[in-house]
Amino acid sequence: DQQVKQNSPSLSVQEGRISILNCDYTNSMFDYFLWYKKYPAEGPTFLISISSIKDKNEDGRFTVFLNKSAKHLSLHIVPSQPGDSAVYFCAGGGANNLFFGTGTRLTVIP
Amino acid sequence: AAGVIQSPRHLIKEKRETATLKCYPIPRHDTVYWYQQGPGQDPQFLISFYEKMQSDKGSIPDRFSAQQFSDYHSELNMSSLELGDSALYFCASSLGGVLPHEQYFGPGTRLTVT
């Protein structure tokens, strides 16, 4: 049973524009949500997290929005850069483990 | 900055053999997690340790066991290997008492069972 879902397997965005990656979850007990970026043959790289008690967290070009009532979160990347091209995983969980979505492959076109 | 170290990076074993994967967390991190990522799949949580004690258990087969040692490194022991165990195995670490949710991943060990 997939507790975290990323329904868009891929996304293409022009350089300089906004990238919006979406994620839905089913477990209302998750304490935190995280976004990871993954390049081939490397482990996931932590990008940004948000506590379940917040609705927004911003770090440079990355902003994560959480809508608890809709059990939905999104990652905004502004402006998008070609180096952002990678697979992005959304994850939810608590202190002891994480549940990952299936990933969205972002391609930023120069 | 030091990252999570996993060894070996690649491992080829035959069915029914055993394998041991090692994970060295980021210095000062006291929590270690193990994940298994099959081809085209998302990482699946296997097991975690906090301060050398098992803190949570996920979809880890009974054929697998793990432990965390006094220097906080962890080992995942896999026995009676099956073809379906072929996957990328990630270790992650975090500072359990402060930022337990910010898990930092290693580069992974690719296990191929033939």
Side-chain angles (χ1 to χ4, degrees):
Chain A
D1 181 32
Q2 194 75 24
Q3 298 192 44
V4 178
K5 298 178 183 178
Q6 293 174 257
N7 293 319
S8 297
S10 63
L11 174 69
S12 291
V13 171
Q14 205 73 35
E15 180 180 4
R17 308 291 284 267
I18 183 172
S19 295
I20 300 176
L21 296 101
N22 293 302
C23 177
D24 298 296
Y25 62 95
T26 58
N27 191 336
S28 57
M29 300 300 291
F30 286 154
D31 295 321
Y32 289 94
F33 300 90
L34 302 89
W35 283 94
Y36 284 85
K37 176 179 176 181
K38 188 177 183 303
Y39 295 113
E42 294 183 12
T45 301
F46 171 72
L47 273 177
I48 190 169
S49 66
I50 186 167
S51 164
S52 60
I53 63 172
K54 294 188 174 182
D55 55 17
K56 178 182 175 181
N57 189 26
E58 192 172 353
D59 184 2
R61 297 186 296 114
F62 302 92
T63 303
V64 56
F65 296 92
L66 175 62
N67 182 334
K68 286 190 69 177
S69 60
K71 292 193 176 68
H72 177 86
L73 66 155
S74 60
L75 175 68
H76 292 211
I77 307 174
V78 181
S80 301
Q81 300 173 354
D84 295 330
S85 297
V87 176
Y88 288 78
F89 285 98
C90 165
N96 296 324
N97 64 54
L98 290 176
F99 294 89
F100 283 82
T102 49
T104 297
R105 180 176 298 280
L106 173 66
T107 302
V108 179
I109 303 164
Chain B
V4 176
I5 298 171
Q6 289 187 247
S7 69
R9 292 293 309 275
H10 301 273
L11 189 58
I12 299 174
K13 291 284 186 179
E14 294 187 358
K15 282 195 307 182
R16 291 178 289 278
E17 284 192 320
T18 61
T20 297
L21 279 55
K22 297 185 179 182
C23 169
Y24 297 87
I26 290 172
R28 296 190 303 115
H29 280 193
D30 50 17
T31 308
V32 169
Y33 314 78
W34 285 97
Y35 292 86
Q36 177 192 58
Q37 185 177 21
Q41 297 179 3
D42 52 293
Q44 295 287 321
F45 171 71
L46 292 178
I47 194 167
S48 62
F49 293 87
Y50 170 64
E51 282 291 344
K52 292 152 278 184
M53 300 285 290
Q54 182 181 306
S55 53
D56 202 356
K57 199 170 181 180
S59 51
I60 184 170
D62 292 339
R63 299 176 289 107
F64 293 7
S65 65
Q67 57 182 322
Q68 185 179 32
F69 295 86
S70 57
D71 64 351
Y72 296 105
H73 94 272
S74 178
E75 295 183 5
L76 177 66
N77 298 293
M78 310 159 74
S79 62
S80 302
L81 287 169
E82 302 173 356
L83 294 178
D85 296 329
S86 295
L88 199 51
Y89 289 82
F90 288 110
C91 169
S93 74
S94 72
L95 194 53
V98 179
L99 293 169
H101 61 290
E102 288 189 9
Q103 297 183 22
Y104 293 83
F105 283 75
T109 294
R110 181 169 295 284
L111 172 66
T112 303
V113 181
T114 61

